[in-house]
Amino acid sequence: MSDTTQEGAIAVSAPPSSDDGLTPAELAAKYGLAVSGARPGLRDYVRQLWGRRHFILAFSQAKLTAQYSQAKLGQLWQVATPLLNALVYYLIFGLILGTRKGIPQEVFIPFLVTGVFVFTFTQSSVMAGVRAISGNLGLVRALHFPRASLPISFSLQQLQQLLYSMIVLIAVAVAFGSYPKLSWVLVIPALVLQFFFNTGLALIMARLGSKTPDLAQLMPFVMRTWMYASGVMFSIPVMLKDKPAWIADILQYNPAAIYMDLVRHALIDGYGSSNLPAHVWFAALVWAVLLGVAGFVYFWKAEERYGRG
């Protein structure tokens, strides 16, 4: 179509387009366009994560190596830090405050060291999860990859660090009369369940921390409270025997206490099954599956929002 202007020129107008009147969503559907960085389906997301498994492992190993690269003792601090914590807790709680009440001396020291090492595994995973996104914004914004790779990698890093610490833990157990036996194998499923629990918790904290970086300043207080309530330095049934039974039940069934007690029961000869709550393995499995699945789905729901704004 054409029209003649006042100057005699001919203006040509474009013919009506078939796209006229279509909404942006309809245009995208018509031409097969997708939102950049859109969240994939849950099954596709899991498949993408599996495809990045080598990156997740390599990233966790690199972080573990770099963690103490500036220290003269290097990787020895992976073991020395929780061991020094255990020594401080023994002096304050074991000797001064007498929290080893009801536990023989040869049991209390491996009991305490085990509690510190195993709880540190959860504590470090949570703290690393809080900063997993907010502390790696350059990587998140520069590359396209499933963001869950980061908190999973940090949890894997803490698991590797715990495995180094297990050498010292085993040496302490043997030094106080607990020698290798078949029950030691139970440490493996206990730590596997704890790893899934920690990973789910790290995923939850990673999403929360991505929008609220100040959460990293609050979490040490939360984790310290959790540690004191989990029986790291004392036996919950012994210390609370004069209190209402429901208080001890709540504390014993909290996941940190469950995973600590499973490892203690497996490694320490004098720590019998009477110290464990009923159906403890079932409770450990429920916590691992519940937090692992819920944390993963919760993190995935916000996949397209990480690193933006």
Side-chain angles (χ1 to χ4, degrees):
M1 297 180 64
S2 62
D3 292 317
T4 302
T5 64
Q6 291 181 352
E7 291 79 9
I10 299 175
V12 180
S13 59
S17 170
S18 59
D19 294 341
D20 290 347
L22 295 180
T23 65
E26 291 170 338
L27 284 170
K30 178 179 178 180
Y31 292 103
L33 303 177
V35 177
S36 177
R39 183 186 71 204
L42 190 56
R43 182 177 298 180
D44 290 336
Y45 193 67
V46 173
R47 190 179 298 114
Q48 290 178 18
L49 271 175
W50 177 249
R52 301 301 196 285
R53 62 191 182 277
H54 301 298
F55 162 74
I56 293 172
L57 180 60
F59 189 74
S60 68
Q61 291 174 337
K63 283 290 186 180
L64 185 62
T65 302
Q67 185 173 358
Y68 300 107
S69 60
Q70 301 301 317
K72 289 186 177 180
L73 294 181
Q75 304 301 312
L76 287 177
W77 284 110
Q78 297 177 18
V79 174
T81 300
L83 200 58
L84 289 172
N85 283 334
L87 177 60
V88 171
Y89 295 147
Y90 173 72
L91 293 175
I92 301 299
F93 293 94
L95 294 182
I96 298 177
L97 298 181
T99 59
R100 69 182 182 91
K101 182 174 60 176
I103 305 177
Q105 178 74 13
E106 67 274 9
V107 174
F108 181 73
I109 292 180
F111 168 94
L112 177 61
V113 174
T114 302
V116 171
F117 278 42
V118 175
F119 185 82
T120 299
F121 178 29
T122 295
Q123 182 181 42
S124 301
S125 298
V126 171
M127 295 304 301
V130 173
R131 301 183 179 93
I133 301 298
S134 61
N136 294 276
L137 284 178
L139 182 62
V140 170
R141 290 170 176 169
L143 300 175
H144 177 69
F145 63 96
R147 308 315 189 195
S149 302
L150 293 176
I152 292 174
S153 182
F154 284 120
S155 294
L156 188 58
Q157 173 194 348
Q158 301 309 321
L159 176 61
Q160 294 175 72
Q161 185 161 334
L162 176 65
L163 294 180
Y164 284 116
S165 302
M166 289 298 293
I167 298 172
V168 175
L169 181 55
I170 289 172
V172 170
V174 171
F176 285 88
S178 296
Y179 298 104
K181 56 185 183 299
L182 192 58
S183 68
W184 282 28
V185 178
L186 294 175
V187 171
I188 297 174
L191 294 183
V192 168
L193 291 175
Q194 187 183 8
F195 171 72
F196 280 104
F197 170 81
N198 290 353
T199 302
L201 199 53
L203 286 162
I204 292 172
M205 300 312 300
R207 175 174 172 177
L208 296 175
S210 67
K211 288 299 181 184
T212 313
D214 287 347
L215 194 60
Q217 309 305 319
L218 175 65
M219 288 311 298
F221 301 98
V222 175
M223 297 306 301
R224 195 174 302 126
T225 302
W226 192 9
M227 179 183 69
Y228 291 145
S230 299
V232 174
M233 292 81 68
F234 59 89
S235 169
I236 293 175
V238 173
M239 294 299 290
L240 298 180
K241 63 181 180 180
D242 298 328
K243 306 295 182 182
W246 62 268
I247 298 178
D249 289 340
I250 290 176
L251 296 185
Q252 279 194 291
Y253 278 104
N254 100 71
I258 285 175
Y259 296 123
M260 281 190 296
D261 280 345
L262 285 176
V263 176
R264 285 165 170 164
H265 178 60
L267 288 180
I268 305 171
D269 286 344
Y271 197 73
S273 57
S274 60
N275 296 284
L276 306 180
H279 312 296
V280 63
W281 279 104
F282 178 73
L285 177 63
V286 169
W287 276 118
V289 173
L290 180 63
L291 263 293
V293 173
F296 185 78
V297 173
Y298 179 73
F299 183 90
W300 163 76
K301 287 280 189 181
E303 174 72 11
E304 69 274 11
R305 300 201 294 272
Y306 299 129
R308 301 194 177 186

